[in-house]
Amino acid sequence: MAVLSCLRAASLSQTRHRFSTLSLLFFSHHPPLFSPSPSPSPSPSPSPPPPRRFFSSTPQFPINSDSSLPVLAVVHYLDGFHQLTGLPWWMIIASSTVAVRLALLPLLILQLKKLKKISELLPHLPMPIPEKPTFKASLDQFSHFLKESRAIGCPSFFWFFPYLSVQLPCFFLLMASIRKMSLDGHPGFDSGGALWFQNLSALPDGSFGPVFPILIAGFHYLNIQISFDSSTVRQTTGLTGVLMRYYKLYLEILSIPLFFVGYAIPQGSLVYWVTNSSVNIFQQLSLKNPTVGAKLGLLSQGSSPGLEHSMEINESVIKYVDSDLKEQTLSLQTLSPEELLSLSVQVLSKGDKETSIQLLRLALEKDPGYVRGLVLMGQALLQKTQLSEATEYLELAISKLLDEAASDAEDVELLMLASQWAGAVYVQQGNMKRGITHLERVAQLKEPGDPKSKEHYFESLLLLSSALYKEGQSDEAGKILRVVVDHNPAYKPLLEQCEDENELVSDLVTRRKDHF
């Protein structure tokens, strides 16, 4: 309704403007009723016609006085471009849209490079907000965060916004300018289209009327699917993941009203909108292409587009396409255990468990005591539900870490993960005693500061409390649950259930004592 009201108001204003202009012309050129006959005067010599200019200083079309200067400037540019090239108006609109997006592309690439550097340096920075935030502590922590980010050369976090802050105003400025030309009946707009949209000033109608609205809604939905990669949305956990999923759903639902909005916009503006959306789709797909990303320097350090997207492993040979689009062949025997592990992680992320296990076995053949390889092998076997073999590798990794008295952060995290997975397997198999032993080892570790490690830590405590509860150790389970609830209040109902059962057991014991 708001869009229709704006269109009606603009049309009414234009009608009044034309009426006042016609009235002025009529009364200024109509001869007076009583006027003396004019004296004859010599006819002036004909003056030469003014030279033709492609870019006239005064527009050759009616202009509303309430139009803003930027809109008039864009209209003037489009009109000059049309006079210079002689192309039909729909091609002028489409080519101008592509030209604007190409002009903004360097800014987008620069922003993506800055964001890539931020993502690489962010893990080395302290948390911007303390675990127990207070006003003073939050200010001090954030000040420390900014100081550390400047010290290691991290780009400003304002690099999240420059492209959007320029692209959106350009989109709305061109949209408003083309809409003004459509509503003003710009010369040539009534026949400047093609196919079913010959009149660019008219609204969509007829049997082909739904074409533009369907394209607008469909391109919007497709842009959302490309922007919000499905694997990224699934892998994002916590509050951020929930907000991302709801925001994506909101944008998808927005496709429905956009379909109806398409019927209230002149076809000239719809040509611009569809062109802009299609360019956006092509731009996103191009920048997500690993080869293009490598050429532009948009890939993170250590990533290999050829290995990740064009890889084939045959026995002990790996074939891949490098960043120069040349096919390379590499013997797996020449790779170190660390390189084999990195390659197996890439393969496992693509869902190829068999190849990942094959690479891990080769890495462990070269270094049987490689703890990271043992832990990752246990995880890969767990995904294949080979539980007994998985626990063997996890137990071996745990024993090596305990023998070496793991002290650095990486070894402690590996010990925590191996103990958690081994404990979970034993609990699932019904071996509660052995499972509790592994999970209690995690509980004895210091609470980690890294958010992901902390999440694994509290998952282990939750598993431990569940195992203790099943073994009838409700008091111990309640103590551990209180620690979990302090971190995440969502588990408070479990704590209340455990405490209620403890009270029931205590009442039964008291009654038996009174009875005897």
Side-chain angles (χ1 to χ4, degrees):
M1 294 300 292
V3 176
L4 292 174
S5 301
C6 292
L7 292 174
R8 294 193 189 101
S11 301
L12 181 59
S13 173
Q14 182 64 22
T15 303
R16 290 175 178 173
H17 174 75
R18 291 178 178 176
F19 177 77
S20 61
T21 306
L22 290 173
S23 301
L24 181 62
L25 291 173
F26 177 79
F27 286 111
S28 59
H29 293 281
H30 193 281
L33 295 178
F34 302 97
S35 62
S37 58
S39 59
S41 59
S43 59
S45 59
S47 58
R52 182 180 179 185
R53 293 180 295 175
F54 287 115
F55 296 95
S56 174
S57 58
T58 57
Q60 303 300 318
F61 49 87
I63 301 178
N64 285 345
S65 59
D66 57 349
S67 299
S68 63
L69 183 60
V71 170
L72 294 179
V74 172
V75 173
H76 183 74
Y77 157 76
L78 293 175
D79 194 61
F81 186 36
H82 174 64
Q83 294 182 32
L84 178 65
T85 61
L87 296 173
W89 271 113
W90 73 270
M91 292 185 66
I92 296 294
I93 296 172
S95 58
S96 300
T97 306
V98 175
V100 171
R101 294 302 298 264
L102 289 176
L104 295 177
L105 187 58
L107 176 61
L108 176 61
I109 295 174
L110 177 61
Q111 176 177 324
L112 292 176
K113 288 184 176 180
K114 295 292 185 180
L115 295 181
K116 184 204 74 170
K117 190 172 183 180
I118 291 175
S119 66
E120 292 173 351
L121 297 176
L122 201 58
H124 304 286
L125 294 173
M127 295 293 293
I129 301 175
E131 295 181 8
K132 296 181 180 179
T134 62
F135 182 73
K136 186 177 184 306
S138 298
L139 288 179
D140 293 342
Q141 181 74 8
F142 190 70
S143 176
H144 177 62
F145 171 77
L146 293 179
K147 181 179 178 181
E148 290 294 326
S149 66
R150 287 192 294 267
I152 65 175
C154 183
S156 171
F157 291 94
F158 286 106
W159 278 105
F160 282 91
F161 309 106
Y163 179 74
L164 193 64
S165 63
V166 175
Q167 194 263 340
L168 279 180
C170 288
F171 172 80
F172 287 113
L173 176 60
L174 275 168
M175 192 74 176
S177 303
I178 297 171
R179 176 180 176 275
K180 169 188 164 42
M181 297 172 74
S182 301
L183 295 178
D184 286 354
H186 196 88
F189 259 49
D190 56 346
S191 59
L195 302 175
W196 73 93
F197 55 99
Q198 291 290 336
N199 189 352
L200 298 179
S201 298
L203 299 178
D205 60 353
S207 56
F208 291 97
V211 173
F212 275 132
I214 290 175
L215 287 176
I216 288 175
F219 284 169
H220 171 79
Y221 185 84
L222 186 57
N223 270 303
I224 299 305
Q225 304 310 311
I226 299 174
S227 300
F228 292 83
D229 185 67
S230 300
S231 60
T232 304
V233 174
R234 286 196 302 267
Q235 294 172 5
T236 306
T237 58
L239 180 60
T240 305
V242 174
L243 293 176
M244 184 183 295
R245 283 187 283 273
Y246 276 108
Y247 184 57
K248 180 186 178 185
L249 178 62
Y250 160 73
L251 293 176
E252 290 173 343
I253 295 175
L254 199 62
S255 304
I256 299 174
L258 284 179
F259 170 78
F260 295 100
V261 167
Y263 281 99
I265 298 178
Q267 294 186 132
S269 299
L270 294 178
V271 171
Y272 165 70
W273 196 337
V274 169
T275 306
N276 186 73
S277 298
S278 57
V279 170
N280 196 55
I281 292 173
F282 177 77
Q283 178 178 279
Q284 287 196 79
L285 293 175
S286 300
L287 294 177
K288 284 179 178 290
N289 183 276
T291 304
V292 176
K295 293 289 186 182
L296 297 176
L298 300 179
L299 295 180
S300 301
Q301 293 180 356
S303 61
S304 174
L307 288 179
E308 184 177 353
H309 293 270
S310 304
M311 180 171 56
E312 180 182 353
I313 298 177
N314 294 322
E315 297 179 354
S316 60
V317 175
I318 177 172
K319 295 181 180 180
Y320 64 95
V321 178
D322 62 12
S323 58
D324 296 327
L325 298 180
K326 296 179 181 179
E327 185 174 304
Q328 304 286 346
T329 301
L330 184 66
S331 173
L332 295 177
Q333 299 295 333
T334 62
L335 298 179
S336 66
E338 291 78 10
E339 292 171 333
L340 289 168
L341 178 71
S342 176
L343 186 57
S344 68
V345 171
Q346 295 184 26
V347 175
L348 187 61
S349 66
K350 296 169 64 176
D352 190 352
K353 304 181 184 67
E354 293 291 344
T355 305
S356 176
I357 292 174
Q358 175 188 349
L359 294 170
L360 287 171
R361 291 191 191 280
L362 182 57
L364 292 174
E365 286 177 6
K366 294 187 175 186
D367 184 3
Y370 187 29
V371 176
R372 291 189 64 190
L374 293 171
V375 175
L376 189 59
M377 175 67 87
Q379 182 195 30
L381 292 171
L382 284 177
Q383 292 187 16
K384 289 195 64 180
T385 65
Q386 298 179 12
L387 304 183
S388 58
E389 190 177 0
T391 53
E392 290 179 7
Y393 282 98
L394 293 174
E395 291 273 16
L396 182 57
I398 292 170
S399 64
K400 288 187 174 296
L401 289 168
L402 292 177
D403 291 341
E404 297 172 2
S407 57
D408 62 342
E410 182 179 355
D411 288 344
V412 171
E413 184 175 2
L414 289 174
L415 178 61
M416 181 179 62
L417 291 175
S419 300
Q420 178 190 3
W421 293 337
V425 171
Y426 284 126
V427 169
Q428 182 181 350
Q429 292 177 335
N431 193 343
M432 293 294 181
K433 185 176 179 180
R434 203 161 183 179
I436 290 173
T437 301
H438 285 294
L439 295 173
E440 282 180 340
R441 185 183 302 113
V442 179
Q444 293 169 3
L445 297 175
K446 184 180 178 181
E447 180 183 327
D450 181 69
K452 291 184 178 179
S453 300
K454 184 179 293 187
E455 185 176 349
H456 289 299
Y457 176 78
F458 283 104
E459 285 178 358
S460 301
L461 294 186
L462 190 62
L463 284 171
L464 176 58
S465 64
S466 175
L468 291 172
Y469 182 81
K470 291 179 180 178
E471 286 293 287
Q473 303 180 36
S474 302
D475 291 334
E476 294 297 325
K479 292 178 183 178
I480 297 172
L481 272 175
R482 290 187 189 93
V483 178
V484 177
V485 170
D486 289 340
H487 172 70
N488 188 352
Y491 296 107
K492 191 173 181 180
L494 295 178
L495 176 60
E496 293 174 350
Q497 178 183 351
C498 185
E499 289 175 343
D500 291 342
E501 182 167 335
N502 288 340
E503 291 178 2
L504 177 61
V505 172
S506 178
D507 289 344
L508 290 174
V509 171
T510 303
R511 290 177 184 176
R512 288 189 177 185
K513 286 182 179 180
D514 294 341
H515 177 73
F516 289 105

